[in-house]
Amino acid sequence: QVQLVESGGGSVQSGGSLRLSCAASGYTYNRYCLAWFRQAPGKNREGVAFLDFDGSTSYADSVKGRFTISQDKAKNTLYLQMSHLKPEDTAMYYCGVDGWCDWGGMTYMGKGTLVTVSP
């Protein structure tokens, strides 16, 4: 059974930083993609960052240069380092895993962690 548990969300002022974590377990893909999505109030869910099995990364234009996705395989943990945060980054953040990277969503996703950025 795939389990994804996000943590690290919170409230921060504009310009601040946060690091989100996602404890992932139970997936058995030989080739997999790990990702972060977010959904702001009243908006659709959007892909934020992807980490493919070969180590390649992809980012939404809105977060390029500010967010970094990484993985600690020994700890089975996915991270999202967020810097220079803006009020428009306020959203529920979800991690996901699938056999391939899909900006539309992943088969398995966690329950989310809330990030609030104040002006």
Side-chain angles (χ1 to χ4, degrees):
Q1 181 179 0
V2 177
Q3 288 191 326
L4 301 166
V5 181
E6 302 93 338
S7 62
S11 297
V12 64
Q13 289 189 325
S14 181
S17 299
L18 280 175
R19 188 178 78 160
L20 305 183
S21 300
C22 172
S25 63
Y27 60 94
T28 58
Y29 300 108
N30 289 327
R31 299 174 63 172
Y32 58 84
C33 180
L34 295 164
W36 288 96
F37 287 76
R38 68 185 181 186
Q39 186 166 16
K43 295 188 177 181
N44 293 330
R45 183 181 62 194
E46 62 174 351
V48 174
F50 292 79
L51 175 60
D52 213 339
F53 73 99
D54 61 358
S56 60
T57 57
S58 301
Y59 296 92
D61 288 342
S62 59
V63 307
K64 278 182 183 176
R66 300 189 298 121
F67 290 12
T68 302
I69 188 171
S70 63
Q71 179 190 21
D72 186 331
K73 291 185 178 180
K75 296 182 179 180
N76 291 325
T77 302
L78 178 71
Y79 300 102
L80 185 68
Q81 178 67 50
M82 306 185 295
S83 303
H84 303 289
L85 283 161
K86 305 175 181 179
E88 50 264 42
D89 294 318
T90 294
M92 187 72 81
Y93 284 72
Y94 304 88
C95 64
V97 63
D98 209 331
W100 56 87
C101 296
D102 187 347
W103 287 89
M106 311 291 269
T107 298
Y108 300 101
M109 300 190 73
K111 295 184 178 181
T113 185
L114 181 63
V115 172
T116 303
V117 184
S118 58

